[in-house]
Amino acid sequence: MATAVRSRSIARPSPIGAGSIALGYGWCEDHNAPEGTGASPYAINSRAGVRVSTNDGYLEPARGRKNLQIVGNALVSAFQFEGNRPHVSGVHVQVDGQGFAPRATREVILSAGAIHSPAILQRSGIGPAAFLKSLGVPVIADLPVGENLLDHPAMPLYLHLRDEARVGTMMHRHTNCCLRYSSGLGGAGENDMIVIAGNLVSLGGGDTSRGRLVVSVYQAFSQGSVRITTTDPAIDPRIDERMLSDERDLVRMRDGVRRLREIGLHESVRAVATRVEYGSTGRSIEENLTPAELDDWLFAECSDAQHASGTCRMGARDDKMSVVDPECRVIGCTGLRVIDASVMPEVVRANTHLTTVMLAEKMADRLRAAA
């Protein structure tokens, strides 16, 4: 698995990629390309072997600007409002237990992600009216904030790697190749599924003896929710992902595990692993699970891909499911925009990082043009 190579001139498949190709999935140089179907090297946004975050790419180069103030250890409790038509004029912030309330001269932009953006809105009175009233929060705007939580359901196989297939340290990249394919099931579109492979498994840390194969539903329909349980900003909201609750996702995940097992049983994988197991069950994939056993395992171990999105859904202002309009302005008040993965109407059939950066770049261009 550690042999995946990516360059401008040549790319050789890892054993997992070789198994996928042998099973008829084909090879693709770039999985981010429009025609990116098949086994591919896995692209990671990195520089000199270190992953580049949006902080590294955007905030650090701007840290010295006179018009930028960065406040750490800050919790936004709620927004400030003024006027008959609710206008957001600033935010209430707690820093190390002390409160202060900076005012906005133009607009407030909320970019706390698909979990905490809806939480901040709900604490401010922007959300489902009946729910907010149940917590004693005055309703500013009755919107489906926190609904439509989307992510990519994922199921793993764990590989007991042979010595020569292990990485030397925990600093190696977690994923090295992937397989994109179209299931043809559940009414989904092209490239609705992905398999990813890597040498490292997060099961307590420090163990390089195990790798993983993960299949994930990348066009996911199951919807969950994010809801606060208190107005205390130090308390995280309650998250109910409801993975595989939509039958279309469940049908494709069952099929995905079948395909994953075929890859895990291929001779190319046997060459790098002494044993392959169904997740943390300890059961070898040499055993064929019954339909009931498969479903029990799916509902016990299905996890997200850390691609939360959709909780402040973008749409037309007269759409009852919309939270923000196509300009990312929160409906029902002025002076407030949400710009992060929470505004995606659907979860993209890809990792969410590049799409989120694109949203921010697009809105930054529009805001500069309007200034």
Side-chain angles (χ1 to χ4, degrees), residues 92-112:
H92 295 285
V93 184
Q94 296 180 13
V95 180
D96 296 327
Q98 301 296 313
F100 73 107
R103 290 182 58 83
T105 57
R106 290 178 56 196
E107 291 182 311
V108 173
I109 296 175
L110 175 61
S111 300

Side-chain angles (χ1 to χ4, degrees), residues 189-257:
E190 294 183 1
N191 287 331
D192 60 310
M193 302 291 292
I194 193 170
V195 174
I196 60 174
N199 286 77
L200 300 176
V201 177
S202 298
L203 293 176
D207 184 6
T208 61
S209 67
R210 285 199 278 184
R212 63 174 185 159
L213 279 173
V214 176
V215 63
S216 184
V217 178
Y218 257 36
Q219 184 181 6
F221 300 109
S222 300
Q223 298 181 358
S225 63
V226 174
R227 292 190 171 185
I228 59 172
T229 59
T230 171
T231 55
D232 183 350
I235 304 299
D236 287 331
R238 183 179 68 248
I239 302 169
D240 183 5
E241 290 188 303
R242 302 186 71 242
M243 289 289 176
L244 306 181
S245 59
D246 190 297
E247 184 68 19
R248 293 170 292 180
D249 294 349
L250 181 57
V251 166
R252 288 178 293 141
M253 185 62 89
R254 289 172 180 145
D255 178 71
V257 169

Side-chain angles (χ1 to χ4, degrees), residues 123-183:
R123 288 198 296 269
S124 303
I126 302 173
F131 166 68
L132 296 179
K133 290 176 182 177
S134 72
L135 291 177
V137 178
V139 179
I140 300 296
D142 182 8
L143 297 172
V145 172
E147 304 303 310
N148 192 49
L149 173 62
L150 302 164
D151 208 311
H152 293 138
M155 289 299 297
L157 300 182
Y158 294 143
L159 284 62
H160 294 254
L161 297 172
R162 299 182 187 277
D163 290 345
E164 62 273 18
R166 301 175 187 178
V167 293
T169 73
M170 295 295 290
M171 297 302 293
H172 283 73
R173 55 191 295 170
H174 59 79
T175 303
N176 48 42
C177 75
C178 68
L179 164 65
R180 297 181 76 201
Y181 69 90
S182 302
S183 71

Side-chain angles (χ1 to χ4, degrees), residues 191-366:
N191 287 331
D192 60 310
M193 302 291 292
I194 193 170
V195 174
I196 60 174
N199 286 77
L200 300 176
V201 177
S202 298
L203 293 176
D207 184 6
T208 61
S209 67
R210 285 199 278 184
R212 63 174 185 159
L213 279 173
V214 176
V215 63
S216 184
V217 178
Y218 257 36
Q219 184 181 6
F221 300 109
S222 300
Q223 298 181 358
S225 63
V226 174
R227 292 190 171 185
I228 59 172
T229 59
T230 171
T231 55
D232 183 350
I235 304 299
D236 287 331
R238 183 179 68 248
I239 302 169
D240 183 5
E241 290 188 303
R242 302 186 71 242
M243 289 289 176
L244 306 181
S245 59
D246 190 297
E247 184 68 19
R248 293 170 292 180
D249 294 349
L250 181 57
V251 166
R252 288 178 293 141
M253 185 62 89
R254 289 172 180 145
D255 178 71
V257 169
R258 176 187 63 79
R259 294 170 184 259
L260 195 65
R261 180 172 180 259
E262 287 180 345
I263 297 172
L265 290 173
H266 193 269
E267 60 184 14
S268 64
V269 177
R270 294 177 186 271
V272 298
T274 59
R275 180 180 171 87
V276 183
E277 297 172 345
Y278 293 107
S280 60
T281 67
R283 295 181 63 174
S284 169
I285 64 168
E286 298 287 343
E287 303 178 47
N288 193 6
L289 298 179
T290 67
E293 289 173 330
L294 173 58
D295 280 1
D296 286 345
W297 178 52
L298 292 181
F299 290 116
E301 290 199 36
C302 183
S303 65
D304 60 56
Q306 301 172 38
H307 295 161
S309 53
T311 49
C312 299
R313 185 181 183 275
M314 179 187 289
R317 297 184 73 89
D318 59 355
D319 184 341
K320 65 180 181 180
M321 293 304 298
S322 298
V323 173
V324 301
D325 68 13
E327 296 296 320
C328 292
R329 296 172 296 207
V330 176
I331 298 166
C333 62
T334 60
L336 177 62
R337 299 182 198 246
V338 180
I339 306 176
D340 57 30
S342 70
V343 306
M344 297 179 189
E346 300 177 4
V347 63
V348 293
R349 275 171 270 179
N351 285 25
T352 50
H353 174 80
L354 287 179
T355 306
T356 306
V357 171
M358 177 277 296
L359 282 167
E361 288 272 14
K362 183 75 172 179
M363 289 308 303
D365 289 344
R366 292 189 179 186

Side-chain angles (χ1 to χ4, degrees), residues 2-50:
T3 58
V5 176
R6 178 77 183 273
S7 71
R8 290 181 182 272
S9 59
I10 185 171
R12 296 195 303 271
S14 72
I16 307 305
S20 300
I21 294 169
L23 291 169
Y25 289 99
W27 170 256
C28 177
E29 175 73 15
D30 182 4
H31 69 87
N32 285 318
E35 69 279 5
T37 299
S40 307
Y42 195 75
I44 287 183
N45 190 18
S46 62
R47 182 190 303 124
V50 179

